[in-house]
């Protein structure tokens, strides 16, 4: 098994000290360093503590040596692509963590900026957290097993207002949705 703690920590812009302080209960940077390098055993308890501090699922901290994993080999900068000194594992959509369950909306017909074949990855949040999703694309369940999709533009009491992505469409209002799924990532084949 390959330990991915260092890769994920660096991708999130955290130092050893930042990660150590974010652990519950806090630990030392030296301990985190030993866990990253394999000098200390990465037990299930440590996996859970480190994963919670990084905001990822515990199983994302390790991967099999036999499976290929996508690598980040370059970064597109203002002057063009710059090669990385050493490739690193990419964080996949399923590695994002962050609480709430992930779901995917398949796009079959062009709507606004979305094209057929696109996949929109969304994270489910509670309706009372709608304020943090204002002006974001969301999927909301409606009665009868149906859904509403669009830009969340308003929340008043138990009602949420969505503006569908097509041109000239009218606002949709959903009363008391069970959840709101906020768009987090667009996957588009080239």
């Amino acid at each position: 098994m390959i330990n991915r703690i260092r890769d994920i920590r660096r991708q999130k812009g955290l130092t050893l000290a930042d990660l150590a302080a974010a652990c519950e209960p806090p630990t030392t940077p030296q301990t985190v360093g030993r866990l990253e390098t394999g000098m200390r055993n990465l037990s299930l308890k440590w996996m859970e503590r480190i994963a919670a501090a990084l905001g990822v699922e515990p199983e994302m901290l390790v991967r099999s040596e036999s499976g290929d994993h996508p690598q980040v080999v370059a970064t597109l900068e203002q002057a063009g692509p710059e090669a990385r000194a050493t490739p690193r594992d990419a964080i996949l959509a399923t590695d994002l963590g962050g609480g709430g369950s992930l779901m995917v909306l398949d796009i079959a017909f062009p709507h606004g900026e979305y094209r057929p074949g696109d996949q929109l990855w969304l994270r489910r949040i509670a309706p009372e957290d709608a304020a943090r999703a204002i002006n974001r694309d969301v999927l909301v369940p409606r009665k009868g097993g149906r859904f509403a999709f669009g830009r969340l533009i308003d929340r008043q009491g138990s009602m949420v207002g969505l503006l569908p992505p097509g041109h000239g469409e009218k606002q949709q209002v959903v009363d008391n949705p069970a959840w709101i799924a906020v768009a987090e990532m667009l996957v588009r084949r080239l």
Side-chain angles (χ1 to χ4, degrees):
M1 296 299 259
I2 295 176
N3 181 326
R4 298 180 59 212
I5 297 172
R6 178 177 287 151
D7 288 338
I8 296 169
R9 175 180 60 79
R10 287 180 175 169
Q11 287 177 29
K12 292 185 174 268
L14 299 173
T15 65
L16 287 170
D18 294 336
L19 181 53
C23 285
E24 250 337 292
T27 188
T28 66
Q30 293 81 7
T31 299
V32 174
R34 288 182 188 113
L35 289 166
E36 284 185 353
T37 60
M39 298 294 290
R40 183 167 182 170
N41 185 30
L42 184 60
S43 66
L44 288 176
K45 185 176 179 178
W46 272 113
M47 282 179 66
E48 289 171 355
R49 284 177 66 187
I50 298 290
L54 288 169
V56 299
E57 295 298 321
E59 61 268 14
M60 298 304 137
L61 299 180
V62 293
R63 71 173 170 87
S64 168
E65 294 181 35
S66 61
D68 284 342
H69 194 83
Q71 298 285 302
V72 176
V73 296
T75 303
L76 188 57
E77 302 286 347
Q78 184 175 357
E82 294 288 332
R84 294 189 49 83
T86 56
R88 64 171 166 79
D89 285 348
I91 292 183
L92 302 176
T94 53
D95 295 352
L96 290 173
S101 60
L102 286 172
M103 57 184 68
V104 177
L105 175 65
D106 275 327
I107 311 296
F109 189 84
H111 286 278
E113 62 198 54
Y114 302 112
R115 303 178 193 161
D118 286 353
Q119 286 188 338
L120 191 59
W121 287 66
L122 307 114
R123 184 170 309 276
R124 204 157 97 171
I125 63 171
E128 53 270 14
D129 295 331
R132 69 178 208 207
I134 294 290
N135 208 27
R136 303 264 312 269
D137 285 345
V138 298
L139 180 69
V140 178
R142 301 179 88 165
K143 292 183 178 17
R146 302 182 69 161
F147 294 94
F149 176 73
R151 184 72 37 111
L152 181 62
I153 56 172
D154 193 18
R155 163 120 193 180
Q156 292 184 359
S158 65
M159 295 189 291
V160 293
L162 308 177
L163 189 59
H167 297 289
E169 294 190 42
K170 294 182 180 180
Q171 176 181 341
Q172 297 179 4
V173 176
V174 179
D175 188 19
N176 201 23
W179 46 263
I180 297 171
V182 183
E184 226 174 70
M185 182 169 54
L186 174 67
V187 177
R188 176 175 289 161
R189 289 196 176 273
L190 297 177

